[in-house]
Amino acid sequence: MRWKFEFVRGANMGRAAVATTVTILSGTLTAAVPAEAKSPDVGVFLDLDQTTRFVDTKGKPIRIVADDADEGERTVLGKVGSGAPAKIVIQKAPPMTSGSTAAFAVLEPERQLSSPPAVEVSSLDEKDLKFDTSSMRSVSAWAVTPWTASLAWAVPDSSVASKVYLNGSFIQTVKGGRFSIPGLLPATKYVLKVTTPLTTDQGEAESEKTFTLQTLAEIGLPVTAKTFQTYSTAFQYKTFIPPARVDASMCNWGDNSFTFGGDNRGFRSPPVNAPFDTPNYRTMMWANVNWQNPDGQKLVLAKNVGQSITYKNDQVYATSYASTANMLFQDGQSAGSYAQVRFKHDASNPHCKLFDINYGGVISYSVIVRFYRSGLVEVVGNRQQAPAHEGWARFSTTAGTEQWLNVFQLDHLNFKCLVGLCGTQTINHARAY
């Protein structure tokens, strides 16, 4: 059985785009190598359990030239059996800790603030983030040569099938959590996405990992192990109500003349002044990792809420701001080129309570945000499926560039989800710069 897919390789440092035909024969990915690819398509064989011995896809040992032995994100430079240069990156993380969402969270009494609260900012330094790194385990890995790219990722077991996409086009289904693609062009960026089905306590879900990789030049090795080094990496999580108005009768004695004010928007990239932009959201949590740590503040944290407005017959009935007391930053840890923090979020509508008891449910999520200096942000956890949730990663490089990339966009399902009637939704997404 034979299928053919044609991909156009661009963004090649000024070089004209080249069309390459990738052919799948009996489930094995092969490729017609472009004429300018003068070396055999020998890639790196990746396994998350490997630590000291690396081999190429022909089974030959890789000659190690440099190894930074980083605790959180290890980078190894070497040469495959054909003599072509290779770069291997192994990304680790500590075990997940408890932090599941609760349908009826016990909240601190809501403070109905009448004026806009200031963005709350806090920070953690190196000593606050230290932990026992012996518990870390490999969660993903990638490798490149001038003509190949390889990936490895955690799967529940070897029988689970993952789908692999190249530059947005599906190319193959693979089992075992590893993949290698030949026929690429040297010094060229490629986007590889892997989706894997998961079975969780909340039912069926999916992991989605997106890697932006650049193949190596034909001759020589990178000057530094971390070629795409970032100065800082940030992640922002927002919840918002897409419509301009939503029904508020459930919080007002069944009277359908009441409505809540929404945010009147869709998914939207944060502006340049985030997290200090004008709130167009229900809630916002934000974390920034300073990799070079010039001022001792390794992890800077911020949170804020938008204004809650209740209308009666289209006239403003009540305005206030909810409390951020139950929007918590937990489990802050850092080792080498790795950092993490948990966003533990429970926030209710201050106009939907009686005697400080919330009866309208809570906007609830709990996620671990993992940062890797090479340019990967991974978010793992779960949420109640209301309202809309979005996650964005910002990468600021030593070259002075800055870019926001979307990590996930999760739609609003039903406000009944806030009281636990929909079940939680698993979040398992990663995005690379």
Side-chain angles (χ1 to χ4, degrees), residues 148-380:
T148 71
S150 302
L151 298 175
W153 57 95
V155 292
D157 60 70
S158 59
S159 65
V160 173
S162 303
K163 293 182 179 179
V164 182
Y165 300 80
L166 174 65
N167 294 344
S169 299
F170 171 75
I171 55 174
Q172 195 176 12
T173 298
V174 299
K175 292 184 178 181
R178 64 172 66 95
F179 175 79
S180 184
I181 181 170
L184 305 180
L185 296 179
T188 303
K189 284 187 178 181
Y190 295 92
V191 178
L192 284 159
K193 183 175 75 172
V194 177
T195 62
T196 304
L198 301 173
T199 301
T200 71
D201 294 340
Q202 293 80 44
E204 297 301 314
E206 185 176 70
S207 163
E208 180 180 292
K209 297 179 184 291
T210 301
F211 298 84
T212 302
L213 308 180
Q214 179 161 324
T215 51
L216 302 180
E218 296 184 41
I219 300 175
L221 290 168
V223 176
T224 176
K226 292 179 173 57
T227 309
F228 301 103
Q229 203 158 88
T230 52
Y231 177 81
S232 67
T233 309
F235 176 76
Q236 186 172 67
Y237 195 132
K238 288 181 178 179
T239 67
F240 64 95
I241 298 175
R245 298 280 185 88
V246 294
D247 176 50
S249 60
M250 67 284 193
C251 293
N252 292 279
W253 318 284
D255 187 341
N256 58 16
S257 66
F258 285 91
T259 57
F260 285 136
D263 299 293
N264 194 30
R265 71 172 180 89
F267 297 108
R268 184 183 302 172
S269 176
V272 294
N273 62 331
F276 300 103
D277 51 308
T278 301
N280 59 352
Y281 48 75
R282 297 299 84 215
T283 63
M284 179 276 297
M285 296 185 75
W286 181 89
N288 182 79
V289 181
N290 294 318
W291 295 111
Q292 293 186 330
N293 199 17
D295 55 4
Q297 297 180 337
K298 180 70 175 285
L299 189 61
V300 180
L301 310 166
K303 58 183 178 179
N304 199 18
V305 296
Q307 187 179 42
S308 295
I309 305 177
T310 297
Y311 298 87
K312 181 176 174 58
N313 295 321
D314 292 330
Q315 300 297 314
V316 174
Y317 180 79
T319 63
S320 65
Y321 293 83
S323 168
T324 61
N326 297 286
M327 296 164 56
L328 306 176
F329 296 103
Q330 302 173 333
D331 303 323
Q333 297 177 338
S334 179
S337 296
Y338 174 83
Q340 73 166 46
V341 64
R342 178 183 293 280
F343 291 7
K344 182 68 174 70
H345 180 289
D346 293 294
S348 65
N349 188 331
H351 300 173
C352 202
K353 67 183 186 65
L354 182 65
F355 302 118
D356 285 333
I357 302 299
N358 165 53
Y359 61 89
V362 295
I363 300 175
S364 183
Y365 65 82
S366 178
V367 296
I368 285 284
V369 185
R370 298 168 174 165
F371 299 90
Y372 294 91
R373 185 166 186 177
S374 66
L376 178 73
V377 172
E378 184 170 36
V379 184
V380 182

Side-chain angles (χ1 to χ4, degrees), residues 44-229:
V44 177
F45 178 84
L46 286 178
D47 188 320
L48 291 184
D49 294 328
Q50 64 197 141
T51 56
T52 57
R53 184 177 183 271
F54 300 91
V55 298
D56 62 26
T57 50
K58 299 293 185 182
K60 295 183 178 179
I62 293 175
R63 182 167 65 87
I64 304 303
V65 177
D67 184 347
D68 68 3
D70 191 279
E71 293 177 301
E73 187 177 45
R74 179 184 176 192
T75 302
V76 178
L77 303 178
K79 292 188 176 182
V80 298
S82 65
K87 177 180 178 179
I88 304 167
V89 176
I90 303 171
Q91 292 158 333
K92 294 185 176 182
M96 294 284 290
T97 56
S98 176
S100 61
T101 57
F104 296 94
V106 178
L107 301 179
E108 293 185 15
E110 296 286 0
R111 302 190 308 270
Q112 292 195 29
L113 306 178
S114 58
S115 58
V119 177
E120 297 178 48
V121 179
S122 58
S123 64
L124 298 171
D125 60 25
E126 294 280 6
K127 70 178 188 312
D128 299 318
L129 299 169
K130 287 184 177 180
F131 69 105
D132 181 7
T133 59
S134 65
S135 65
M136 299 185 80
R137 70 193 191 285
S138 299
V139 294
S140 57
W142 57 268
V144 287
T145 70
W147 302 277
T148 71
S150 302
L151 298 175
W153 57 95
V155 292
D157 60 70
S158 59
S159 65
V160 173
S162 303
K163 293 182 179 179
V164 182
Y165 300 80
L166 174 65
N167 294 344
S169 299
F170 171 75
I171 55 174
Q172 195 176 12
T173 298
V174 299
K175 292 184 178 181
R178 64 172 66 95
F179 175 79
S180 184
I181 181 170
L184 305 180
L185 296 179
T188 303
K189 284 187 178 181
Y190 295 92
V191 178
L192 284 159
K193 183 175 75 172
V194 177
T195 62
T196 304
L198 301 173
T199 301
T200 71
D201 294 340
Q202 293 80 44
E204 297 301 314
E206 185 176 70
S207 163
E208 180 180 292
K209 297 179 184 291
T210 301
F211 298 84
T212 302
L213 308 180
Q214 179 161 324
T215 51
L216 302 180
E218 296 184 41
I219 300 175
L221 290 168
V223 176
T224 176
K226 292 179 173 57
T227 309
F228 301 103
Q229 203 158 88

Side-chain angles (χ1 to χ4, degrees), residues 12-50:
N12 190 28
M13 300 176 67
R15 188 183 299 178
V18 178
T20 300
T21 300
V22 176
T23 306
I24 298 177
L25 297 172
S26 302
T28 301
L29 191 68
T30 61
V33 182
E36 55 197 281
K38 302 174 183 178
S39 175
D41 283 318
V42 178
V44 177
F45 178 84
L46 286 178
D47 188 320
L48 291 184
D49 294 328
Q50 64 197 141

Side-chain angles (χ1 to χ4, degrees), residues 377-395:
V377 172
E378 184 170 36
V379 184
V380 182
N382 52 68
R383 69 148 189 161
Q384 298 289 2
Q385 299 179 69
H389 294 220
E390 62 182 355
W392 295 84
R394 189 204 68 203
F395 303 92

